[in-house]
Amino acid sequence: MKPISVLVTVSGRDRPGVTAALFSSLAAHDVDVLDVEQVVIRGRLILGVVLDLRGDPASLRRSIGQTCSAVGMEHEVVVVEAGDADSAAELAAERRARDGGKLHVIVLGHPLRPGAIANVSQAIADVGANIESVTQLSTRPIASLDMMVSGDESRVRAALARAATATGLDIAVERAGLARRAKRLVVLDVDSTLVQGEGVDELAKRAGVFDQVQAITAAAMAGELDFAEALASRVSLLAGLPMAAVEQVRDELQLTPGARTLVRTLKRLGYAVGVVSGGFTALTDRFVAELGLDFAAANVLEVVDGVLTGRILGEVVDRRGKADALRRFAARFDVPLSQTVAIGDGANDIDMLRAAGLGVAFNAKAALRDNAAVAVNHPFLDAVLYVLGISRSEIEQADLLDEQARPAAPTR
């Protein structure tokens, strides 16, 4: 007997035992389970099951009806029309094709307004893509949704780039699959990414050369100087600055909101986390120790008799050097580049973000945003966790487990 494809949908107030009761009812019939999806939203259960049935649909309907009545649930049993998915083989082929084109669309806003979500949803529909599920990842410090979308990736990306501009939302698009959760090493830029502000600017203020340093920075941004040349020029202006002033700048630097949460959560999940900076070890070493980072690369200022000489020691960490450092650290931790994440804000991060498996532009300049897979324009660095598919509840659960694992304080 050729099987009949049947879709069973059960909904109602969630309670223990509903799923078990339904499948116990199905066990009395000659059916194969082809697909199952279940979700609970604010205490309401929605459960869908696709079956291949060899037998009488009416008998199946009566059995499911009696079971659902007993557990107080609503139900619907629909025979799928021939040609839609009338065999296990066809359904499996259909699902493989669908999964191959699945995308995670992460929508971040502060707040998320219905009109903006409507704009995003319509943009997806307008290119023939379909939203298969929506999951709330967070409500604070920003709200975020994870939409599972099936459709053509290039068309979806283009449509959502326009939607992001129209709504002011941050929208990230990533291919679904194991690769998304396989990321194992994260590299962060420091100035204006891990920390607020630019360390060289603060040093320049202490040295009384802020305007000159700003002029060199502007020339570099205009493409008149490359990074290495601009860095050497700026550092030369710091000659004579006492290390005591450098240490004071170091101690006054502030982490970006969400930085501690980002690093703490990633490390608990087994990621290697570190920094690659075009700044200076005299400033970055504090955060390497404070956050327990796994690796770091930055420029070394020459110091003689307790003052800066205006020179850099060793190889300069510039745009190319940042990408080289990413590759070096990935090799050290035996992580393929496809499983790395790079986060930065400036043009000298372009090569590093291109080399990484996922490049994230954080409150970035236009040159970097145009070269990054994902742009996050909200001021909270832990929003990157949502882009990686880690929810706020998972972050809080990790914090709770960590607290429980700590030794109890001794009592007197």
Side-chain angles (χ1 to χ4, degrees), residues 157 333 364:
R157 285 187 181 277
F333 288 90

Side-chain angles (χ1 to χ4, degrees), residues 194 255 259-260 263-264 267 286-293:
L194 183 69
L255 286 166
R260 290 186 189 278
V263 173
R264 180 178 68 243
K267 288 181 66 64
R286 167 198 159 188
F287 300 102
V288 174
E290 192 173 307
L291 299 174
L293 298 178

Side-chain angles (χ1 to χ4, degrees), residues 221-232:
M221 292 291 292
E224 298 168 9
L225 295 173
D226 65 21
F227 179 83
E229 184 180 359
L231 179 65

